[in-house]
Amino acid sequence: MTPRALTLPAVILLGAGVLAGCAGTGSGQNGTGSDSRYVAGDNSSQILKSRKPAPQVKGTTLDGKPFDLAQFGGKVVVVNFWASWCAPCRAEAPTMEQIYEKNKASGVQFVGVDIKDGKDNAQAFIRSFKITYPSLYDQAGQIALAFRDIPPNAVPSTLIIDRQGKVAVRVIGSVPYSRLQDLVTKVAAEK
């Protein structure tokens, strides 16, 4: 074999190893050394025809304040599941903040849920991306598990809860600005 023929398989194996790192374990992903098993979403979104009530969600925000999802009753609530170690989460963070700022005056609230992450890393993420809506610290992933009827199966995932407190939309993976704005607008227009 020529040296060039050896190079291509080596590059392919190296690339496969890097991609496998996203699905593996280890402290490099989340700063905690726990098994996070990152799963990339396919960026699919669905508006649900048969809606189930969102679970009761209580917790503590990254700035240490108590949080209860029930405080947003009657509002459209966008719940974004993210982690500081997740590249697609970092890419969509500015979109989330922009759409929050654009829609908050019309009764739309955003809530982040930071899962399987180190608290210091999560707080740095919030500062770095200038996120102004609350984010819950959920290192163990218990809030994501509470949404068992409409699970957020990947990081990132986004759920939109309608004004009646039911999960109306699920997006698995990152969501582009135009698609998320369209989904928020549709749910907010419902009576």
Side-chain angles (χ1 to χ4, degrees):
M1 281 190 193
T2 67
R4 182 179 177 121
L6 293 174
T7 304
L8 183 57
V11 169
I12 291 170
L13 285 173
L14 179 61
V18 168
L19 290 175
C22 291
T25 64
S27 61
Q29 292 172 342
N30 59 22
T32 63
S34 67
D35 182 0
S36 63
R37 295 288 182 194
Y38 171 77
V39 176
D42 60 6
N43 303 333
S44 64
S45 61
Q46 63 184 127
I47 298 174
L48 304 169
K49 292 185 183 357
S50 176
R51 299 180 182 176
K52 303 212 180 214
Q56 292 184 7
V57 173
K58 294 181 181 184
T60 303
T61 62
L62 282 166
D63 58 3
K65 296 178 183 168
F67 178 88
D68 186 346
L69 185 62
Q71 71 188 341
F72 298 128
K75 291 186 174 189
V76 171
V77 182
V78 178
V79 182
N80 178 249
F81 294 84
W82 63 273
S84 66
W85 45 263
C86 162
C89 301
R90 298 177 72 77
E92 79 174 3
T95 294
M96 293 291 163
E97 180 62 25
Q98 289 169 356
I99 294 176
Y100 168 63
E101 288 296 329
K102 181 177 181 175
N103 293 280
K104 68 181 179 180
S106 63
V108 176
Q109 179 62 50
F110 275 53
V111 176
V113 179
D114 173 48
I115 64 171
K116 299 189 182 267
D117 206 351
K119 197 168 195 175
D120 290 342
N121 294 340
Q123 290 168 331
F125 178 98
I126 294 294
R127 285 189 306 273
S128 176
F129 291 105
K130 298 176 176 66
I131 304 296
T132 60
Y133 54 85
S135 275
L136 295 165
Y137 182 62
D138 186 31
Q139 200 284 328
Q142 293 301 308
I143 294 171
L145 290 174
F147 283 90
R148 66 180 52 95
D149 289 331
I150 313 295
N153 292 336
V155 178
S157 283
T158 303
L159 303 175
I160 302 177
I161 300 169
D162 65 21
R163 295 183 195 280
Q164 287 72 45
K166 296 181 178 181
V167 180
V169 174
R170 175 174 65 171
V171 180
I172 303 298
S174 62
V175 58
Y177 182 94
S178 60
R179 182 64 180 146
L180 182 58
Q181 180 59 53
D182 181 52
L183 292 167
V184 168
T185 300
K186 284 180 180 175
V187 175
E190 296 175 352
K191 298 295 175 195

